[in-house]
Amino acid sequence: MNANVDQIARELAALNQRFVDLGAKLGEAAQALDATGAPPANGLVEALAGARGQFVQLRAQALSAADAAGVPPPSEPQSLNEIEPLLAAIGEALSGRARREALEHAQQAAVTTIDRVLEIIHQDDPAFSTLVACHAKAREARAAILALTELESDGAGQVTDSVRAFADLLTMVENREGLDDDRYAQLEESVSRGFGRALAVAAARGRIGFEGEFVEPPPAPEPEPAGEALPLESEESALPEEPEPASETIAVEEPAPEAEVATDPSAPDETAQWWLAAWARWSGWKSSHDFAAAVREELGKYPYLLSVPIQKSPEYEDGLLAYGYSILMDHVERQNPGCVGNALNSLKPGQTRPVGEQLYDYLIAEGRLRETYADFVKNTLVAAVPEPGVWFQFRILESKEDTRILQRPSARIGDTELSGQRLASDGQRYNEHKFKMTLGPLTTRFVLVSADVKEARGAGFKLVGDGAPSDSGWVVSVSAGNRASAKNEARRIGEDGLHVPGLGKDHPALWVAVFNPDPAAERRYELSVFLRKDTKSPFRTKG
């Protein structure tokens, strides 16, 4: 119908131009008639008759279109000027009908998806909390969708976008066997963000599905009644105690299914959720992002990522923090190309150790993390500062009037509050400031030293780990200037210390990373920061 209206509009424009041309010729004929009494030429009379016929035909088409669109005209148009607003009314009516039809189609598709999601059940737990919460969200989304009256509004866009997570969950449940790695990674992240990590894991492991899909295990054979054997030989009265060995055999075999799960990449145990999340995220961006871009994206969401041990990352942010460790996956893959994809194949049958521990050991070995974790920290910090930055545990803020020493008031990783003290005298300010911290395996803590002064200050750094001089630290200096042109330089804190001149004038900020490269044990560190009013080194030899 829109095509017919467009065609009528084009014909109307052409006829309007023809009427203009005929009007000019009629004006000339009228002047001739008045001046000389000469009648109009036959060709002009025939042209007028033809134009009249075109007008009648065009009017009939417009009236037919108006009737089909449900737009009754106030009266039959007698001129082109009366047809034009009629066509506009028809176009508006048709657009409204198209919008209504599109809304109905979108509502029908969304409700079909949501109704199917509401049929999903858990194999073992009818009250599985994340699935119950998902169903509650589904009912809310269904009601919101059916309440829509306009598809083009901002609110409608938000409602219809929310259906995507339900569709992704449905795809994971219905087509889990036919998904490639990249598509699976995208779906898992979407479901985790929408409904929680636990539901994505349940979908991946086949623990949720539809009525009739789950195969019930065959019932265990009923033991023969012990009393039936007694009448045969009364001296065998001890025979009823023989079921005891059978019970022991079952107990011995119980680890076997765990080992079988450990060797099945499609159903790893709960200890491997950090791996699944990080691997899924890495699989999703590895072909479209470089390392630096991925770092900025992940730390922009969770700036305290590197301060949480990777195996504990699923305990934070409803499991979403673990996705951020995709950047460590990328680092490991660069050390040994192909190793990340082969990780699950490396699991050995017969293992009683949790899958997560096996994968952790694999990651350490293949990525040589004892040796390369320092480079990972350096590259991450260089990419992350000045924007989006990283979560710091301590901060020194140097200004012309005073020096402020700030720290997080609680031991909670990710704490956003700061408290501290103000130092006013030079003797207090330009001295050694010590910061103690305990780091989990393969984690990093950060200290920010910044100066809002035009003069150049000096800063020295020295690190002690478990009572001995340590080089487990980096200082990344951010050069002065606008953020777009800022250049970062990373320097290692040596066992003799590191001196960085130019704080304030040349470097408005120095980001200090203290890292624990030990994959198995905590380490206690003490960072000493020496502030100087001049640029001289606080050490006997230059750091």
Side-chain angles (χ1 to χ4, degrees):
M1 179 62 72
N2 279 335
N4 291 340
V5 174
D6 291 341
Q7 179 63 31
I8 295 172
R10 286 192 292 270
E11 292 179 6
L12 176 64
L15 187 57
N16 190 63
Q17 182 60 48
R18 186 175 182 189
F19 274 25
V20 170
D21 295 340
L22 287 174
K25 292 179 180 179
L26 279 174
E28 295 174 358
Q31 291 179 357
L33 181 64
D34 182 57
T36 64
N42 291 335
L44 179 58
V45 175
E46 292 174 357
L48 288 172
R52 171 69 181 174
Q54 280 186 288
F55 170 78
V56 171
Q57 183 180 2
L58 187 65
R59 179 177 62 187
Q61 292 176 350
L63 291 173
S64 177
D67 182 63
V71 181
S75 61
E76 187 175 78
Q78 299 300 318
S79 68
L80 295 180
N81 289 340
E82 294 180 10
I83 293 179
E84 188 171 354
L86 178 60
L87 289 182
I90 295 171
E92 182 61 31
L94 292 178
S95 296
R97 179 186 297 177
R99 290 195 299 270
R100 289 192 299 273
E101 291 176 352
L103 174 61
E104 292 172 1
H105 177 76
Q107 288 174 322
Q108 181 179 5
V111 168
T112 299
T113 297
I114 290 175
D115 286 348
R116 183 64 170 158
V117 168
L118 289 170
E119 296 175 1
I120 295 175
I121 59 175
H122 193 278
Q123 182 177 10
D124 305 314
D125 184 4
F128 187 55
S129 60
T130 53
L131 183 58
V132 170
C134 171
H135 283 170
K137 289 183 178 180
R139 294 185 186 94
E140 292 176 1
R142 192 181 194 278
I145 287 167
L146 292 178
L148 291 176
T149 58
E150 181 61 55
L151 194 59
E152 301 299 326
S153 66
D154 293 338
Q158 294 175 358
V159 172
T160 53
D161 285 347
S162 69
V163 179
R164 186 173 305 165
F166 294 106
D168 290 344
L169 173 62
L170 201 58
T171 301
M172 286 189 73
V173 174
E174 292 182 332
N175 304 312
R176 63 173 62 92
E177 301 299 332
L179 298 171
D180 59 35
D181 288 350
D182 290 344
R183 179 61 176 148
Y184 175 84
Q186 295 168 359
L187 294 173
E188 185 183 39
E189 181 175 359
S190 172
V191 172
S192 295
R193 291 187 181 280
F195 313 114
R197 175 70 185 151
L199 192 62
V201 172
R205 298 181 65 186
R207 308 301 291 174
I208 58 176
F210 301 98
E211 187 73 35
E213 287 186 351
F214 301 115
V215 179
E216 296 292 335
E222 296 183 4
E224 294 183 5
E228 292 182 7
L230 291 178
L232 296 177
E233 297 185 39
S234 59
E235 65 270 24
E236 300 293 338
S237 59
L239 287 179
E241 298 181 6
E242 287 184 1
E244 289 292 333
S247 176
E248 292 176 4
T249 301
I250 293 173
V252 169
E253 293 177 353
E254 279 180 353
E258 294 183 8
E260 189 174 13
V261 169
T263 60
D264 180 2
S266 65
D269 64 23
E270 296 296 329
T271 65
Q273 296 316 310
W274 63 269
W275 174 278
L276 286 177
W279 167 81
R281 179 68 173 161
W282 174 74
S283 298
W285 63 253
K286 63 180 180 180
S287 59
S288 59
H289 288 53
D290 61 19
F291 178 80
V295 165
R296 288 188 288 272
E297 182 172 339
E298 301 299 349
L299 294 186
K301 291 179 286 190
Y302 305 114
Y304 63 90
L305 172 68
L306 267 61
S307 297
V308 177
I310 186 170
Q311 293 188 88
K312 293 184 178 180
S313 57
E315 301 173 12
Y316 292 77
E317 306 289 346
D318 294 326
L320 297 180
L321 183 72
Y323 286 95
Y325 268 115
S326 59
I327 59 177
L328 184 60
M329 290 282 183
D330 191 74
H331 169 79
V332 169
E333 179 72 8
R334 291 175 186 274
Q335 310 309 310
N336 187 356
C339 69
V340 173
N342 292 327
L344 294 177
N345 296 329
S346 72
L347 300 176
K348 295 180 173 57
Q351 286 279 347
T352 58
R353 294 178 62 221
V355 174
E357 292 182 11
Q358 296 181 58
L359 290 171
Y360 184 67
D361 290 347
Y362 178 87
L363 194 74
I364 293 165
E366 296 299 317
R368 298 183 299 109
L369 287 180
R370 288 181 183 272
E371 297 80 23
T372 69
Y373 184 72
D375 289 335
F376 167 71
V377 172
K378 178 189 71 172
N379 295 335
T380 300
L381 185 56
V382 168
V385 298
E387 296 292 344
V390 293
W391 179 80
F392 52 84
Q393 187 171 359
F394 303 99
R395 180 177 186 180
I396 298 178
L397 181 57
E398 171 74 1
S399 68
K400 186 176 181 180
E401 294 79 16
D402 57 30
T403 301
R404 297 179 185 269
I405 309 295
L406 306 174
Q407 66 179 30
R408 304 296 176 182
S410 74
R412 180 174 62 86
I413 296 175
D415 189 355
T416 58
E417 300 296 324
L418 284 171
S419 63
Q421 56 182 323
R422 174 179 177 271
L423 308 179
S425 69
D426 285 1
Q428 292 177 313
R429 298 172 64 182
Y430 305 112
N431 207 328
E432 179 181 10
H433 305 283
K434 293 184 177 182
F435 303 96
K436 296 181 180 180
M437 56 198 88
T438 301
L439 277 65
L442 293 184
T443 60
T444 307
R445 295 295 175 89
F446 298 94
V447 178
L448 174 59
V449 181
S450 55
D452 185 16
V453 294
K454 296 180 180 180
E455 303 83 8
R457 300 279 198 263
F461 303 91
K462 201 164 189 177
L463 192 61
V464 173
D466 290 336
S470 172
D471 65 349
S472 294
W474 291 99
V475 175
V476 172
S477 56
V478 179
S479 63
N482 60 60
R483 292 178 178 177
S485 62
K487 294 183 180 179
N488 299 340
E489 180 183 359
R491 286 176 268 193
R492 189 76 173 260
I493 299 177
E495 293 185 358
D496 294 329
L498 172 69
H499 171 230
V500 181
L503 175 64
K505 180 180 179 181
D506 302 320
H507 310 296
L510 300 174
W511 291 85
V512 186
V514 178
F515 59 88
N516 177 11
D518 192 322
E522 286 187 346
R523 292 278 182 88
R524 290 178 174 82
Y525 290 94
E526 183 178 86
L527 173 69
S528 292
V529 180
F530 301 84
L531 284 185
R532 290 190 62 91
K533 200 170 185 178
D534 53 33
T535 59
K536 294 180 181 179
S537 172
F539 310 116
R540 293 182 179 180
T541 58
K542 287 189 177 181

